[in-house]
Amino acid sequence: MSEPRVPVPAGSDFTIDNLPYGAGDPGDGPRPICAIGDHVLDLRSLAEAGMLPPEAVESFGEERLDAFMASGRPVWQETRARLVELLTTDEFDRLPEGVLRAAGEFQMVLPFRPGDFVDFYSSLEHATNLGRMFRPDSEPLLPNWRHLPVGYHGRASSIVISGTPVTRPRGQVKAGDDPPDLRPTAALDIELEMGFAVGPGNDLGTAIAIDDAGDHIFGMVLVNDWSARDIQRWEYQPLGPFLGKSFATTVSPWVVTMEALAPFVTAPPVQDPQPPAYLRASRDWAIDIQLEILLASSVMREAGADPVVISRTNFAGMYWTIAQQLAHATVNGTNARTGDLYASGTISGPDPGSYGSLIEITWNGRDPIGLPDGSERRFLEDGDTVILRGWCEREGTGRVGFGECRGTVVAGGT
Amino acid sequence: MSEPRVPVPAGSDFTIDNLPYGAGDPGDGPRPICAIGDHVLDLRSLAEAGMLPPEAVESFGEERLDAFMASGRPVWQETRARLVELLTTDEFDRLPEGVLRAAGEFQMVLPFRPGDFVDFYSSLEHATNLGRMFRPDSEPLLPNWRHLPVGYHGRASSIVISGTPVTRPRGQVKAGDDPPDLRPTAALDIELEMGFAVGPGNDLGTAIAIDDAGDHIFGMVLVNDWSARDIQRWEYQPLGPFLGKSFATTVSPWVVTMEALAPFVTAPPVQDPQPPAYLRASRDWAIDIQLEILLASSVMREAGADPVVISRTNFAGMYWTIAQQLAHATVNGTNARTGDLYASGTISGPDPGSYGSLIEITWNGRDPIGLPDGSERRFLEDGDTVILRGWCEREGTGRVGFGECRGTVVAGGT
């Protein structure tokens, strides 16, 4: 691909091969935008100037990406090709004033409005680890796990944009033989996840066939599915997680499109047993996304210290792919709607350095991690900042990254 | 209360003491409406004519009730008082033409847009029955059940209005020692529930105190939480129901307000142990709502036979009240939003004639029920119509009913 005419700093997540979409507010209201290096294209202004495909113009008049996401893959592809053209040819010199601006001038908002939020449980390693800790007396992996992508509905209202403070939740906790009581969680955790956002939905009573999944998946974001393990442990049987998860879910502001991720698609792990036909795709769907979790205490932040990496893993190791997840989630005729968010479940690799949650990294507190300020962590303390990062890299193409998904824990009221 | 100037047929659910709200389309688009007997008040036209409180005018310009629901209890009360005045005094003669119309002229649509859907599990009898059937080798009631209202998030996209056909879902089913396979459910069931809809929400990071619940609950609807038991049984551990429930949830079109239900509030069952302080209300919150489930096969419908009552129960017997549900669901700081739907869970009484689902009524198929057409039912067949009804009655006040919540099962594709 040609070089963009706007400088892209070395190591930037937002090369010309990425062009992720978001929604940002430069002061007079949110609008669809696109990132390139440290700059942002105001897509509404660009559309109003007649420089984008006619099919995309109306949707860029909206505050968020939902209308553009609903417009479908041909419009996505045409728009992407046009943006590359505008950024790499002499047309760049004719961009209207104010269309290309410093990224810092925009206050990012949620890029789309999730109508429903589904959270899967698709890492074999994570499901096994949690099974060992939550159900120590039985097989860690339940009999259904290798036959279908286990998932459940989470709360959509508390999905927040990167940077939103996360208030430590209260909830009923049962400790030992004491009666349960209401208290702030003492086991606040993170879950490193990726999520995909739905473009065009399906009608109620129909299913999305696995080989049609690509027409329905617009792009992906980083997801931190904050969890209160003590609340979750007491409440979650028999109907699943509820208040232990519903207090906050943070997403990254930039949606990286499936077009940008295409060069990084790879073979998923072999599935044994082979899943039923409706879960067998005719092409690969795993994606080689490198991921890391960083942590900084308030003491570290005040001292100007960098956050430390506490885990590194890769999305490609997930047992169930996003195409399998969407095909499964709609096989009963449920309607997915534009903007629905389907998260992967915690992404854990095979060893503690690649686990996607503190409960796994510290093995439920048995093996605390040390921070540069001399403190230890089993779970999160007030003032801790967690940052998720994700990116794709390979020879011959520019870096395609997700930016970051950040949140700082604040004490709750009493 | 005075007599309304519009005739209300004997036995109507929609007396002057009810005045439920809905959204209906007379041909040129949905709008907020109010039922009285067999008639409907077009609230948008009434507002445009300057005959409703100024605070309510803008919200009745919307298609559905959400804006009115968000406006808060003082506006609800003022509007209700004004509607009574318009219907019972000489002002009735000055209603503009077309404001009062036959109910049949309106196509009902979903009265509000649920952003999130929570389903509880608040009947002691239902939870015990299901525990016996799904986990025969352990205590039917799990240790947390008497300490908090167990609940989970359901799917909002597939909430549909009464009358919408319900397509028999497909899903993975595991039978005996065979590998699981994809098939249409052979155990399609109903769940008789009541749901409450949120008026003003709360901010993320705050909780709704139980004694403030009345400021946040707008009204109630009948809910049929259709369930595919074979799909549910295979998938639901450890994260709860997913595809066994997500294919359809039917709600009644009329929202009966908490004002209308107030005369029927009664004492809930005694809770043992006493719940934690945040779940103790300073007033009663149980509601004496009589409920019934009716069933008609396609053969019965074609023969012109009436549907038969297969269960009768009462909402007042629920162990956990709606105020407890809302206080619990937000105690962790989750934000409820206007239009969110919180359903009760299946409402079952102490004996089979009062169970709220077929799996309980037939004890998982062991005791099939006979229909007047000579057929038997363990679970639902294609062509079956299920009708839920609910109403409140007592001396000295008019009947306050919910109309009906109806759905007919249709075969799915292959």
Side-chain angles (χ1 to χ4, degrees):
Chain A
M1 207 169 271
S2 318
E3 285 301 307
R5 297 280 302 273
V6 54
V8 174
S12 171
D13 277 349
F14 307 132
T15 65
I16 189 75
D17 293 309
N18 191 351
L19 299 180
Y21 295 100
D25 183 354
D28 58 343
R31 76 224 25 220
I33 59 180
C34 173
I36 177 75
D38 293 339
H39 287 78
V40 152
L41 281 172
D42 176 343
L43 298 176
R44 183 186 294 173
S45 301
L46 207 51
E48 285 169 355
M51 300 181 82
L52 290 179
E55 301 83 352
V57 168
E58 195 175 318
S59 61
F60 289 142
E62 301 289 322
E63 292 197 342
R64 299 169 203 259
L65 299 175
D66 303 71
F68 180 59
M69 291 161 65
S71 63
R73 196 147 68 154
V75 178
W76 308 338
Q77 289 173 330
E78 200 183 343
T79 303
R80 179 176 171 84
R82 180 69 184 139
L83 290 172
V84 168
E85 191 173 46
L86 286 171
L87 287 167
T88 58
T89 69
D90 287 347
E91 285 205 82
F92 183 77
D93 299 320
R94 294 194 292 276
L95 288 179
E97 186 144 7
V99 158
L100 185 74
R101 299 164 73 166
E105 293 179 36
F106 287 79
Q107 174 73 40
M108 301 300 287
V109 299
L110 268 188
F112 49 84
R113 289 265 188 214
D116 276 292
F117 168 40
V118 167
D119 194 26
F120 287 98
Y121 192 57
S122 289
S123 157
L124 179 69
E125 294 79 5
H126 173 72
T128 305
N129 288 336
L130 269 278
R132 283 196 183 121
M133 282 183 273
F134 273 50
R135 296 176 299 279
D137 302 327
S138 48
E139 275 295 310
L141 218 54
L142 292 173
N144 56 17
W145 198 90
R146 286 177 181 272
H147 295 275
L148 53 80
V150 169
Y152 69 104
H153 284 94
R155 189 159 188 88
S157 72
S158 52
I159 295 175
V160 296
I161 184 95
S162 176
T164 306
V166 172
T167 303
R168 179 178 297 275
R170 298 182 302 167
Q172 263 196 43
V173 173
K174 171 97 169 112
D177 292 333
D178 295 338
D181 69 343
L182 181 69
R183 59 176 83 156
T185 177
L188 184 58
D189 201 354
I190 55 190
E191 292 196 336
L192 165 65
E193 306 194 11
M194 297 292 312
F196 69 84
V198 171
N202 62 306
D203 291 333
L204 188 64
T206 71
I208 295 175
I210 191 162
D211 283 330
D212 294 336
D215 292 333
H216 295 272
I217 300 178
F218 175 73
M220 300 193 73
V221 292
L222 295 163
V223 177
N224 187 342
D225 183 30
W226 306 86
S227 300
R229 302 298 180 189
D230 42 6
I231 298 171
Q232 181 183 356
R233 186 184 292 265
W234 171 233
E235 75 176 357
Y236 91 111
Q237 287 290 10
L239 300 183
F242 186 38
L243 299 189
K245 300 274 194 174
S246 66
F247 56 94
T249 304
T250 306
V251 298
S252 56
W254 294 106
V255 188
V256 176
T257 65
M258 299 317 291
E259 296 292 325
L261 292 169
F264 308 98
V265 166
T266 183
V270 173
Q271 295 184 311
D272 180 19
Q274 184 178 238
Y278 78 98
L279 295 176
R280 286 180 228 147
S282 61
R283 72 161 176 92
D284 287 340
W285 270 97
I287 311 173
D288 178 13
I289 305 173
Q290 301 180 57
L291 295 161
E292 59 185 29
I293 308 173
L294 300 96
L295 180 59
S297 66
S298 57
V299 171
M300 288 167 64
R301 278 204 318 282
E302 281 153 24
D306 286 334
V308 288
V309 174
I310 61 169
S311 184
R312 286 195 173 88
T313 187
N314 195 301
F315 185 60
M318 297 295 275
Y319 191 88
W320 295 102
T321 68
I322 61 174
Q324 289 177 318
Q325 289 166 347
L326 186 60
H328 180 66
T330 60
V331 74
N332 69 343
T334 305
N335 52 330
R337 295 179 294 187
T338 299
D340 283 352
L341 180 66
Y342 292 79
S344 59
T346 307
I347 304 161
S348 290
D351 60 78
S354 64
Y355 290 166
S357 65
L358 283 171
I359 195 172
E360 295 169 87
I361 294 170
T362 72
W363 207 256
N364 200 21
R366 188 194 65 191
D367 309 320
I369 52 176
L371 294 183
D373 64 8
S375 64
E376 285 190 336
R377 286 294 178 282
R378 291 172 169 81
F379 290 102
L380 295 172
E381 304 285 337
D382 293 344
D384 284 354
T385 296
V386 175
I387 303 163
L388 310 182
R389 287 190 188 143
W391 66 92
C392 308
E393 274 180 332
R394 72 170 180 82
E395 286 292 314
T397 181
R399 178 175 166 116
V400 171
F402 289 79
E404 61 178 39
C405 177
R406 173 188 290 256
T408 298
V409 178
V410 299
T414 49
Chain B
M1 207 169 271
S2 319
E3 286 299 307
R5 296 280 301 274
V6 54
V8 174
S12 171
D13 278 349
F14 307 134
T15 65
I16 188 74
D17 293 309
N18 192 351
L19 299 181
Y21 295 99
D25 182 353
D28 57 343
R31 76 227 22 223
I33 60 180
C34 172
I36 177 76
D38 294 338
H39 287 78
V40 151
L41 280 172
D42 176 343
L43 297 175
R44 183 187 292 173
S45 301
L46 207 50
E48 285 168 354
M51 299 182 81
L52 290 179
E55 301 83 352
V57 169
E58 195 175 317
S59 60
F60 289 140
E62 302 289 323
E63 291 197 344
R64 297 169 204 258
L65 299 175
D66 304 72
F68 180 60
M69 291 162 64
S71 63
R73 196 148 67 156
V75 178
W76 307 338
Q77 289 173 330
E78 200 182 344
T79 303
R80 180 177 170 82
R82 180 65 184 143
L83 290 171
V84 170
E85 190 173 46
L86 286 171
L87 287 167
T88 58
T89 69
D90 288 347
E91 286 204 81
F92 183 77
D93 300 320
R94 294 195 291 276
L95 288 180
E97 186 145 4
V99 158
L100 185 74
R101 299 164 74 165
E105 294 179 35
F106 288 79
Q107 174 72 38
M108 301 301 288
V109 300
L110 268 188
F112 49 84
R113 288 266 188 215
D116 277 292
F117 169 39
V118 167
D119 194 25
F120 288 97
Y121 193 57
S122 290
S123 157
L124 178 69
E125 293 78 8
H126 173 72
T128 304
N129 288 337
L130 270 278
R132 283 195 184 122
M133 282 182 274
F134 274 50
R135 296 177 300 279
D137 302 327
S138 49
E139 275 294 310
L141 217 54
L142 291 172
N144 56 17
W145 198 92
R146 286 177 180 272
H147 295 276
L148 53 80
V150 168
Y152 68 104
H153 285 94
R155 190 159 187 89
S157 72
S158 52
I159 295 175
V160 295
I161 186 93
S162 177
T164 306
V166 172
T167 304
R168 180 178 297 274
R170 297 183 302 167
Q172 262 195 45
V173 173
K174 171 97 169 109
D177 292 334
D178 295 339
D181 70 342
L182 181 68
R183 59 175 83 158
T185 177
L188 184 58
D189 201 355
I190 54 190
E191 292 197 335
L192 165 65
E193 306 195 9
M194 298 292 311
F196 69 85
V198 172
N202 61 305
D203 291 333
L204 188 63
T206 70
I208 295 176
I210 191 163
D211 283 331
D212 294 336
D215 293 333
H216 295 272
I217 300 178
F218 175 72
M220 300 193 74
V221 291
L222 295 163
V223 178
N224 188 343
D225 184 32
W226 306 85
S227 299
R229 300 299 179 189
D230 43 5
I231 298 171
Q232 180 183 356
R233 187 185 293 266
W234 172 232
E235 75 175 357
Y236 92 110
Q237 286 289 12
L239 299 183
F242 186 37
L243 299 190
K245 301 274 194 175
S246 66
F247 57 94
T249 304
T250 306
V251 298
S252 56
W254 294 106
V255 187
V256 176
T257 66
M258 300 316 291
E259 297 292 326
L261 293 170
F264 308 98
V265 166
T266 182
V270 173
Q271 295 183 311
D272 181 19
Q274 182 179 240
Y278 78 99
L279 295 176
R280 286 180 228 149
S282 60
R283 70 160 177 91
D284 287 338
W285 270 96
I287 311 174
D288 177 13
I289 305 173
Q290 300 178 58
L291 296 161
E292 59 185 28
I293 308 172
L294 299 97
L295 181 59
S297 67
S298 56
V299 171
M300 289 166 63
R301 277 203 319 281
E302 282 154 24
D306 287 334
V308 288
V309 174
I310 61 169
S311 184
R312 288 196 172 88
T313 187
N314 195 300
F315 185 60
M318 298 295 276
Y319 192 86
W320 296 101
T321 69
I322 61 173
Q324 289 178 318
Q325 289 166 346
L326 186 60
H328 180 65
T330 60
V331 74
N332 69 343
T334 306
N335 52 331
R337 294 179 294 186
T338 299
D340 284 352
L341 180 66
Y342 292 79
S344 59
T346 308
I347 304 163
S348 289
D351 60 79
S354 64
Y355 290 166
S357 64
L358 284 171
I359 194 173
E360 295 170 271
I361 295 170
T362 72
W363 208 255
N364 201 21
R366 188 194 65 190
D367 309 321
I369 52 177
L371 294 183
D373 64 7
S375 65
E376 285 191 335
R377 287 293 178 282
R378 291 172 169 81
F379 291 102
L380 296 172
E381 304 286 338
D382 292 345
D384 283 354
T385 296
V386 176
I387 303 163
L388 310 183
R389 288 191 188 141
W391 66 91
C392 309
E393 273 181 332
R394 73 169 179 80
E395 286 291 313
T397 181
R399 179 174 165 116
V400 171
F402 289 79
E404 60 178 40
C405 178
R406 173 188 290 257
T408 296
V409 178
V410 299
T414 50

